Amino acid sequence: MQNRFLEKSLWGFLLPALLCTLLFPLPSQAAPRLQDVGEELVIVIDPGHGGENQGTIENNHEEKTMTLVTAMAMYQELQLYENVQVYLTRTTDQELSLKERAEYAASVNADFLFSIHYNASENHELFGSEVWVSSLSPYNGYGYQFGYEFLTDMRDKGLFLRGVKTRLNSAGIDYYGIIRESVALQVPALIIEHCHVDEQRDAGYCDSNEKLEAFGRADATAVARYFGLKSSALQVDYSDYSLAEVPLGGIVPKTLPDTTAPDVCEIAFSSADYEAGVLSLEVAAADYDSPLLYYSYSCDGGRTFQPREPWPGSDTLTGNYSDTFTLQLKVESGICPEVIVRAYNLYDLYTESNLYVSPETFLYGQKEPEDADQEESSLTGPEEPKASLEAASGQVTLSREVSFLAFLKISLGIVVFLMLLLVISQAIVYTKRKKRRRQRNQQYQQRNDWGETKNQHK
């Protein structure tokens, strides 16, 4: 009886639990530290580029030199932690293939290879820090947990975060060679892109060796937190440090490539201050696969776009961003703005909004001539009557001069006209007199002819 009672009690407990599990599946759990390493940790730091492979040389920088400075500072800082061996793939201006770097890491049984880089973009418009990780499990999860720590430090520095993400080639495998070659040898690897050397918002973070070294020390701190290291010299202990949650499968969905542009981007009129030259528009956008990262706008119907700005509320670590925000544009006087907004996602794909055309031209800061004259007159003060009289006197004098000249011209015209009339009349009189004289002569001649004829008839 007692056994049967216990059996019923057990089933009474397990059956509801089983039903709850089936109806309400447990969420994916997170490992405090996904990567398990032994007592002695081996880290390989890879200063990107080298030799004839300079890397980016934008804005008077040389990436191969920058990465070596940062890597050396990272190396020196990690040497201060206990139970860790640190190696460098190169310590001089040496050119190495990606495969050689990965093989070196494998030869020293590296627990992780960190490839150090600085960034630049084709159109010099990207800014921020990012980490590229493998798309394969469990290396994806390893990379995400470290990348989260690294980007947290970069945000504290004031840098914009472009996220922890993966990139695939046409064959559907990891695009970046250092990651692909390392993972093939079962060495976890990732790429650290500290900032963009060719963009003004990032350039100030990497314009001296001191700042490059500061990046290296920050990298080392992120590594120490990731592996739970401790240092008596630095008086820090990260043994119990908790990392970002990662699904048990070791793949973080938000790190996977998004190959589609944002799903929605719309703008609508909010308000316009034509006297101040401010146009306010409501912007609404969404991407269902990755967070929105930047926005840019055009005021000339899409012919030219302003530099990118951070999307409000964008947080690539949480995947959050604001669905809507108010965009205030300063419009130059004399412009009738035709506005288009672009929304960019984590992989720099964008969607353009509808076109908004202002119903009015913004006109401000310009005075009509009459208004300007009135304002000038109002500022004249007590001297206004004198100035007005002087101006009036000048106008009267000028008017008199113009009237006299006009009178002379008219008088001269009348005289010339009268003289012409006199000449014409004299010519007419002369012609008439000449005609009468001719007629008299003809009559006299006729009389003579008639008298002679009469005498002949007698």
Side-chain angles (χ1 to χ4, degrees):
M1 287 290 293
Q2 186 175 3
N3 290 338
R4 188 176 298 176
F5 174 77
L6 290 174
E7 182 179 1
K8 287 183 178 179
S9 300
L10 183 61
W11 277 109
F13 173 79
L14 292 177
L15 186 59
L18 180 62
L19 289 174
C20 288
T21 302
L22 294 174
L23 295 175
F24 306 102
L26 293 174
S28 60
Q29 297 180 353
R33 179 168 292 101
L34 190 62
Q35 184 178 4
D36 185 21
V37 295
E39 294 183 359
E40 190 73 18
L41 180 67
V42 178
I43 295 173
V44 172
I45 304 171
D46 174 40
H49 309 286
E52 293 185 2
N53 183 357
Q54 295 176 281
T56 182
I57 54 174
E58 299 288 347
N59 202 18
N60 296 321
H61 289 88
E62 188 177 49
E63 187 181 1
K64 69 173 184 177
T65 303
M66 298 171 69
T67 60
L68 188 57
V69 172
T70 298
M72 291 298 295
M74 182 181 180
Y75 172 84
Q76 293 169 1
E77 186 78 2
L78 282 173
Q79 291 278 37
L80 301 176
Y81 288 87
E82 301 165 9
N83 300 320
V84 58
Q85 294 182 32
V86 190
Y87 298 92
L88 289 158
T89 58
R90 68 180 180 93
T91 57
T92 60
D93 185 13
Q94 179 185 1
E95 186 167 357
L96 295 169
S97 70
L98 300 177
K99 187 175 182 179
E100 288 174 330
R101 297 166 195 256
E103 288 175 345
Y104 174 76
S107 70
V108 295
N109 297 315
D111 292 294
F112 222 116
L113 181 148
F114 298 93
S115 189
I116 307 302
H117 288 266
Y118 288 87
N119 219 338
S121 62
E122 182 178 358
N123 297 322
H124 315 298
E125 59 180 349
L126 302 183
F127 54 91
S129 303
E130 62 191 357
V131 177
W132 293 98
V133 301
S134 174
S135 61
L136 301 177
S137 174
Y139 308 104
N140 177 269
Y142 298 168
Y144 179 78
Q145 284 194 322
F146 168 81
Y148 191 100
E149 296 304 316
F150 166 77
L151 290 181
T152 299
D153 289 344
M154 295 303 101
R155 180 167 56 192
D156 292 342
K157 280 180 172 287
L159 283 155
F160 183 68
L161 306 187
R162 286 176 49 83
V164 181
K165 47 195 174 180
T166 60
R167 184 178 178 183
L168 305 180
N169 61 19
S170 58
I173 59 177
D174 287 324
Y175 173 86
Y176 292 106
I178 189 65
I179 296 175
R180 187 176 63 251
E181 296 287 351
S182 298
V183 168
L185 299 174
Q186 298 183 345
V187 177
L190 55 78
I191 295 173
I192 299 174
E193 295 281 7
H194 291 88
C195 63
H196 288 72
V197 302
D198 60 337
E199 211 280 340
Q200 60 179 356
R201 278 164 284 200
D202 279 9
Y205 289 94
C206 58
D207 57 1
S208 69
N209 278 356
E210 290 76 15
K211 294 177 182 179
L212 299 179
E213 291 170 353
F215 273 126
R217 289 190 292 271
D219 297 346
T221 302
V223 170
R225 293 203 302 268
Y226 172 74
F227 283 113
L229 303 179
K230 60 182 179 180
S231 169
S232 300
L234 298 174
Q235 297 183 349
V236 294
D237 186 351
Y238 298 113
S239 301
D240 298 324
Y241 190 86
S242 298
L243 298 175
E245 294 185 352
V246 176
L248 289 177
I251 295 291
V252 182
K254 59 187 173 184
T255 66
L256 300 181
D258 179 5
T259 58
T260 59
D263 298 274
V264 179
C265 185
E266 298 288 338
I267 58 175
F269 174 78
S270 177
S271 64
D273 187 337
Y274 293 97
E275 294 182 357
V278 177
L279 173 64
S280 297
L281 300 173
E282 290 298 318
V283 182
D287 191 312
Y288 305 129
D289 299 312
S290 66
L292 296 178
L293 209 60
Y294 308 107
Y295 74 88
S296 63
Y297 64 88
S298 169
C299 287
D300 56 12
R303 291 186 293 276
T304 59
F305 279 83
Q306 296 298 312
R308 297 188 195 187
E309 297 292 339
W311 188 274
S314 177
D315 187 343
T316 56
L317 296 181
T318 62
N320 296 329
Y321 59 90
S322 299
D323 294 330
T324 62
F325 70 95
T326 301
L327 175 61
Q328 288 192 334
L329 305 179
K330 180 66 176 179
V331 183
E332 294 183 6
S333 181
I335 299 298
C336 181
E338 301 177 10
V339 183
I340 295 177
V341 173
R342 285 177 176 174
Y344 298 82
N345 65 14
L346 190 65
Y347 288 85
D348 299 309
L349 302 173
Y350 67 84
T351 294
E352 288 188 355
S353 71
N354 54 301
L355 173 67
Y356 170 79
V357 180
S358 174
E360 297 183 35
T361 298
F362 282 73
L363 292 173
Y364 57 93
Q366 300 177 356
K367 296 182 175 63
E368 296 295 331
E370 293 181 359
D371 296 339
D373 292 342
Q374 290 176 1
E375 182 177 350
E376 185 177 352
S377 299
S378 65
L379 296 175
T380 304
E383 297 183 358
E384 179 183 357
K386 180 179 179 181
S388 300
L389 288 174
E390 290 177 354
S393 176
Q395 291 177 356
V396 170
T397 303
L398 180 60
S399 177
R400 287 176 179 175
E401 292 178 356
V402 172
S403 299
F404 180 72
L405 290 174
F407 172 75
L408 287 179
K409 291 180 180 179
I410 293 172
S411 300
L412 181 60
I414 292 173
V415 171
V416 171
F417 178 71
L418 291 175
M419 290 181 65
L420 287 174
L421 286 179
L422 180 61
V423 170
I424 292 171
S425 62
Q426 290 295 327
I428 293 173
V429 170
Y430 174 76
T431 302
K432 286 183 178 180
R433 288 178 179 175
K434 187 175 181 180
K435 185 176 181 180
R436 288 196 205 100
R437 189 178 302 113
R438 190 182 301 112
Q439 289 176 349
R440 289 193 190 118
N441 291 336
Q442 289 177 352
Q443 290 177 359
Y444 179 77
Q445 183 63 37
Q446 288 176 355
R447 289 194 192 102
N448 291 335
D449 292 340
W450 181 75
E452 290 179 358
T453 303
K454 184 178 179 182
N455 292 331
Q456 289 177 358
H457 284 293
K458 284 181 175 180

